[in-house]
Amino acid sequence: MKITVQIVIDAQDGTPPATEQVAAIARDDLTMASAGLALVEAHEVLSGIQHHLVTAQAAVAAVAGRDCASCGRARGRKDTRHIVLRTLFGTLRLESPRYKACPCAVGGPATVSPVAALLPERTTPELLLWEARYAALTSYGAAASLLSEAFPLGRTLHATAVRQRVERTATRLEGELGEERFSFIDTCPAEWEEMPRPGLPIVVTLDGGYVHSSRQTSRKDGWFEAVTGTSTPGDGGPAKAFAYVQTYDAKPKRRLYELLRSQGMQDNQQVVFLTDGGEDVRDIPRYLNPQAEHYLDWFHITMRLTVLRQMTRSLPPRPADTDDDDDAPWIPDPGQADRDLERAKHFLWHGNTFRAMQIVEDLRDDFEIACAGPDADDKQRAFFERLSEFCTYIGRNSEEIPNYGERHRCGEPISTATAEGAVNQVISRRMVKKQQMRWSPRGAHLLLQVRTRVLNDDLAGDFARTRRPGSAATSRRCLTSRGFSRSPTTAEGGRSGIRVPLLLFYARSPVPSFTAPGRASIAGCSRIRVKSVTSKRSLAPPSRSRTGRIGWMPGVSGGSGALVMIP
């Protein structure tokens, strides 16, 4: 038995449809081995269909782009070149005819290539998406091998190529973030009352993990920290992870703010931040929400206390006759130190930091006296250093220690257990555990952005929103502090007749200068009459619309610029 797979291409322009053969499959009697399609045969069918489909699309585009868009005159053909298009189902070599420029186009390029203009990049978004997915879950080398086996790529895929394209994808995603700000609170209590009723509190946990550095010279050094965490809505929605490299990322607060806004955070909604109290993550969640509550994680407190109590068991015991001898050196009792730490833990559990600090500081003073003598034990010095570090840790974070017992009885979160799991899932599994690779801060940061989007199941939506990343025809989104976004549009200058690209966004800076007079119209806004002023004068008084005051921000060249809305 022979099965022939054909496709019929109908251009719908009056010409008869064309039939093309894709593959021919031969089969004998039905057996377990001959049932269905083999992987090689499926690859042949898919790559054949795509070859004829894209070839027909390129031919139609070449014919449609021959006529001049201004005057309608047919351009003269200069030559034909070929461009390579890398797709998920094969590597295509397409004909790209070049036409001579129309005489009406003065000052433009000498030749025009419609197919090359429509395909500014040589890799399709579908291939970029699957490369990013595979590379986010396994090593670059394994991702290249798995992609070559699962899809008919038509070429050898190298790990370096996968890494470079994944980093370019992450760089494009990074470009969508807005500017970093010290505070993201733009509303007042009067506006909070007018907002819809918020949902349950959002719980955000932050923690850090360490990654092998590519500049590592020994086993003890060459590590850098990557901060990760989770955001869990209180109404039972899916939790989302985020991560960044502290020494590389310049927009950590913006990154966390946009994640919270994507989960529906309002300025009148409570947000609970749980951190380990470290200096690198303690200030990140501040000024993101006016109703935010910042707490110290109980797990890190009890972990430090557990280590201290275990160290007391190895301390030298206090001699029995020390109390009667005034000249004997002072040696603290290890048993009493263990009981004091247990009392301090009890007070911290109930949020009484004042009594806890009194106990810990008295214990620290006792061991400071013992370590001052010439006969001090090394274990006593080590215990004293660890105890002093714990005193400093509690003192700096005393304002963020709540009544953990009360919160626990009410079912409220007190620990960053989800963040500990995020460190293992986001960082360790891909970069540390059973991985012999070394990372640069930039490479680790960019991969973490792709990996968190894959784990959050957001990467496909990012590709769907941007359609073809990096294309000149792509309509970029403008992320603002209020979550408002609008794709760029164009407006015609009323007097000069030139088309001026306009970009709509919010700003709180003074009204900028204006360079192009005329009228402008934007979807969702009333028509705006802009006064004719010079480039060095401000727009005063500002025009009014339904959404705020309007001003013009000039671009770097010509009439390109942006309308600025000042709420």
Side-chain angles (χ1 to χ4, degrees):
M1 179 175 60
K2 181 180 180 181
I3 300 176
T4 302
V5 181
Q6 296 179 337
I7 61 173
V8 179
I9 302 176
D10 187 0
Q12 296 182 350
D13 56 357
T15 59
T19 303
E20 300 288 348
Q21 179 174 334
V22 175
I25 303 172
R27 282 292 185 272
D28 296 330
D29 297 335
L30 178 62
T31 62
M32 291 298 298
S34 63
L37 288 175
L39 184 61
V40 177
E41 295 170 342
H43 285 180
E44 181 183 358
V45 172
L46 290 174
S47 59
I49 292 175
Q50 180 168 257
H51 170 74
H52 294 293
L53 173 63
V54 179
T55 301
Q57 288 179 306
V60 173
V63 174
R66 182 171 184 176
D67 296 338
C68 178
S70 300
C71 63
R73 183 186 306 174
R75 300 185 180 97
R77 186 161 183 166
K78 181 178 181 180
D79 58 14
T80 300
R81 295 187 178 184
H82 292 82
I83 60 175
V84 176
L85 181 65
R86 293 177 290 271
T87 71
L88 197 61
F89 302 106
T91 303
L92 306 176
R93 186 175 174 86
L94 305 176
E95 290 187 356
S96 177
R98 293 199 304 167
Y99 301 109
K100 298 178 181 179
C102 184
C104 68
V106 180
T111 59
V112 177
S113 180
V115 177
L118 294 174
L119 301 174
E121 292 191 356
R122 299 298 183 258
T123 305
T124 59
E126 191 77 9
L127 178 57
L128 294 176
L129 171 62
W130 283 98
E131 286 181 347
R133 280 181 170 176
Y134 275 67
L137 301 176
T138 184
S139 64
Y140 291 121
S145 301
L146 292 173
L147 284 169
S148 300
E149 294 176 1
F151 299 100
L153 300 178
R155 69 189 186 283
T156 302
L157 189 61
H158 298 282
T160 303
V162 175
R163 177 181 59 82
Q164 292 174 349
R165 284 197 284 269
V166 169
E167 290 181 351
R168 285 199 294 267
T169 299
T171 303
R172 293 182 183 121
L173 295 175
E174 288 287 276
E176 295 184 359
L177 284 177
E179 295 296 330
E180 180 76 341
R181 294 168 54 184
F182 175 76
S183 174
F184 290 86
I185 302 175
D186 297 329
T187 55
C188 64
E191 296 175 324
W192 302 341
E193 298 295 334
E194 300 177 357
M195 294 181 180
R197 182 178 180 180
L200 296 176
I202 300 176
V203 180
V204 181
T205 59
L206 293 93
D207 204 348
Y210 288 90
V211 181
H212 292 285
S213 174
S214 58
R215 302 177 181 89
Q216 183 175 5
T217 58
S218 65
R219 185 67 179 175
K220 295 182 179 180
D221 62 358
W223 296 75
F224 60 87
E225 185 179 18
V227 178
T228 184
T230 58
S231 175
T232 307
D235 55 1
K240 290 189 176 183
F242 61 95
Y244 60 91
V245 175
Q246 175 194 357
T247 57
Y248 178 82
D249 189 18
K251 303 177 181 179
K253 299 185 69 171
R254 168 65 71 175
R255 188 179 314 281
L256 179 56
Y257 178 79
E258 295 297 344
L259 178 68
L260 294 175
R261 295 292 294 186
S262 67
Q263 293 183 309
M265 182 192 71
Q266 301 177 178
D267 285 348
N268 62 343
Q269 184 176 10
Q270 288 185 340
V271 182
V272 178
F273 293 99
L274 290 170
T275 65
D276 60 356
E279 296 181 358
D280 50 350
V281 299
R282 184 173 52 195
D283 296 333
I284 295 300
R286 298 190 185 277
Y287 305 108
L288 292 181
N289 186 285
Q291 312 296 332
E293 299 176 355
H294 304 268
Y295 297 133
L296 183 63
D297 170 37
W298 171 251
F299 169 76
H300 287 83
I301 295 179
T302 186
M303 180 180 63
R304 285 173 166 81
L305 285 172
T306 301
V307 173
L308 287 172
R309 295 188 63 186
Q310 290 177 350
M311 294 179 67
T312 59
R313 301 173 185 175
S314 62
L315 295 176
R318 184 178 183 181
D321 56 348
T322 304
D323 297 336
D324 299 333
D325 189 0
D326 296 337
D327 296 333
W330 171 253
I331 300 178
D333 184 11
Q336 184 61 37
D338 181 69
R339 290 189 292 271
D340 289 342
L341 291 174
E342 178 64 23
R343 292 176 58 207
K345 181 178 180 180
H346 173 80
F347 285 120
L348 290 173
W349 173 256
H350 293 284
N352 193 344
T353 57
F354 177 76
R355 289 289 293 122
M357 285 296 295
Q358 281 185 330
I359 295 174
V360 176
E361 287 177 351
D362 290 343
L363 185 61
R364 182 194 59 184
D365 294 341
D366 290 342
F367 277 89
E368 184 179 6
I369 296 174
C371 294
D375 299 332
D377 189 83
D378 292 339
K379 294 181 179 180
Q380 289 180 337
R381 292 192 178 95
F383 179 79
F384 171 71
E385 292 178 359
R386 184 63 64 92
L387 186 62
S388 300
E389 185 272 335
F390 180 73
C391 290
T392 305
Y393 178 75
I394 296 299
R396 291 180 177 177
N397 298 280
S398 59
E399 298 181 356
E400 299 180 359
I401 297 179
N403 190 330
Y404 295 103
E406 181 180 358
R407 290 182 60 85
H408 180 67
R409 290 189 295 270
C410 295
E412 299 178 352
I414 61 173
S415 174
T416 59
T418 55
E420 298 291 340
V423 171
N424 181 51
Q425 183 183 27
V426 177
I427 300 176
S428 299
R429 289 186 180 180
R430 178 63 177 87
M431 299 181 177
V432 181
K433 291 183 177 179
K434 297 182 180 180
Q435 303 289 341
Q436 302 300 321
M437 60 191 71
R438 299 292 183 263
W439 298 87
S440 66
R442 176 182 179 274
H445 175 78
L446 295 179
L447 179 62
L448 286 175
Q449 307 316 308
V450 176
R451 182 170 174 82
T452 52
R453 281 173 167 83
V454 171
L455 296 177
N456 296 337
D457 199 19
D458 292 337
L459 187 62
D462 293 332
F463 271 86
R465 184 181 70 248
T466 56
R467 285 180 280 183
R468 294 186 180 274
S471 172
T474 301
S475 59
R476 297 181 300 175
R477 293 172 61 86
C478 312
L479 300 178
T480 68
S481 61
R482 298 197 176 196
F484 180 83
S485 62
R486 180 70 59 87
S487 299
T489 182
T490 56
E492 290 194 20
R495 301 180 185 178
S496 61
I498 59 172
R499 297 185 65 85
V500 181
L502 301 179
L503 186 64
L504 187 64
F505 61 95
Y506 284 98
R508 286 193 177 275
S509 59
V511 179
S513 58
F514 179 77
T515 56
R519 297 177 66 88
S521 177
I522 299 177
C525 301
S526 59
R527 294 187 64 84
I528 306 162
R529 178 67 179 180
V530 181
K531 295 182 179 181
S532 177
V533 293
T534 62
S535 59
K536 295 184 179 180
R537 294 175 57 188
S538 298
L539 186 64
S543 301
R544 300 291 300 179
S545 70
R546 293 198 300 266
T547 53
R549 298 183 296 169
I550 302 297
W552 176 263
M553 179 177 292
V556 295
S557 61
S560 299
L563 279 180
V564 180
M565 306 191 68
I566 302 101

